[in-house]
Amino acid sequence: MKRIIIAAGLAVAACSGPEATNDTVAGNGVLAAGPVTNSASLAAAELPAGLAPVIEAAVPGMKVSEAERKEREGRVYYDVEGTKPDGSEIELDIIEEKGTFRVVEIQRDLAWKDAPLIAQAAAKAKPDAFAPARVIESTQTDGSVIYELFKPGEPKEPAMEVRVKDGKAEVLTERWEH
């Protein structure tokens, strides 16, 4: 991974073309608007009872600070934010399927300079590359890591996603499912 040298700076991205669908990239790596998500904030005490053991198993000692219940494309998720015992911030994305809960992502914010060089190189190689204002590292249950890149001034959803798995990086052409 360290063999790749990244040139300083990234060009500011242009918008994706009009032929892009809600979920696909127009060829430049910049994602179109994602699906509609309905969400509601929850206090830790309002979380379903079966969620606490799942949270504890995923991140022992996690202190929940806030949560949201989200519905998107027929799926129900709980985004649970808090801190690990060392004080670092973390978020769990947990899906509810037939009354059971399963962690699908473990997320944390990080500086773009701290993302793997192969992720940076993959994003930079796209014609409409941009310097992300925010980066979320999202560890998946399949062993891959998704880097969600947010454009400056567009904080609601990532404009680009880079998947790193088995030492390879690719800019996704469709939004990651979770």
Side-chain angles (χ1 to χ4, degrees):
M1 290 199 303
K2 294 186 181 190
R3 289 179 281 143
I4 299 173
I5 298 174
I6 306 303
L10 297 170
V12 175
C15 295
S16 60
E19 60 279 337
T21 67
N22 202 31
D23 293 323
T24 61
V25 176
N28 60 5
V30 178
L31 295 168
V36 173
T37 300
N38 296 312
S39 61
S41 295
L42 299 172
E46 296 175 303
L47 290 172
L51 211 47
V54 173
I55 294 168
E56 182 62 25
V59 183
M62 178 178 172
K63 182 179 177 184
V64 175
S65 60
E66 59 185 272
E68 284 184 298
R69 182 183 186 278
K70 295 183 174 181
E71 291 184 37
R72 178 176 62 243
E73 297 181 318
R75 296 182 302 266
V76 174
Y77 294 91
Y78 290 88
D79 288 357
V80 181
E81 296 181 30
T83 54
K84 294 170 37 174
D86 68 3
S88 61
E89 294 180 353
I90 192 162
E91 178 182 317
L92 302 177
D93 285 2
I94 302 168
I95 193 167
E96 180 179 1
E97 299 168 308
K98 299 180 183 176
T100 61
F101 302 99
R102 177 174 57 93
V103 174
V104 293
E105 295 181 323
I106 299 175
Q107 300 180 321
R108 69 183 182 121
D109 278 63
L110 77 156
W112 183 226
K113 68 177 182 61
D114 295 331
L117 294 178
I118 60 171
Q120 293 179 39
K124 181 183 177 229
K126 289 299 180 181
D128 289 332
F130 58 93
R134 180 182 183 202
V135 177
I136 297 176
E137 178 184 71
S138 184
T139 303
Q140 307 295 305
T141 56
D142 71 352
S144 63
V145 179
I146 306 297
Y147 292 89
E148 301 175 14
L149 311 180
F150 293 77
K151 280 181 164 181
E154 297 181 21
K156 294 193 182 220
E157 59 185 36
M160 183 182 289
E161 295 178 333
V162 179
R163 179 178 186 226
V164 175
K165 185 172 184 185
D166 299 328
K168 297 176 184 169
E170 65 175 320
V171 174
L172 298 179
T173 58
E174 295 182 357
R175 290 190 180 281
W176 192 250
E177 179 181 18
H178 305 294

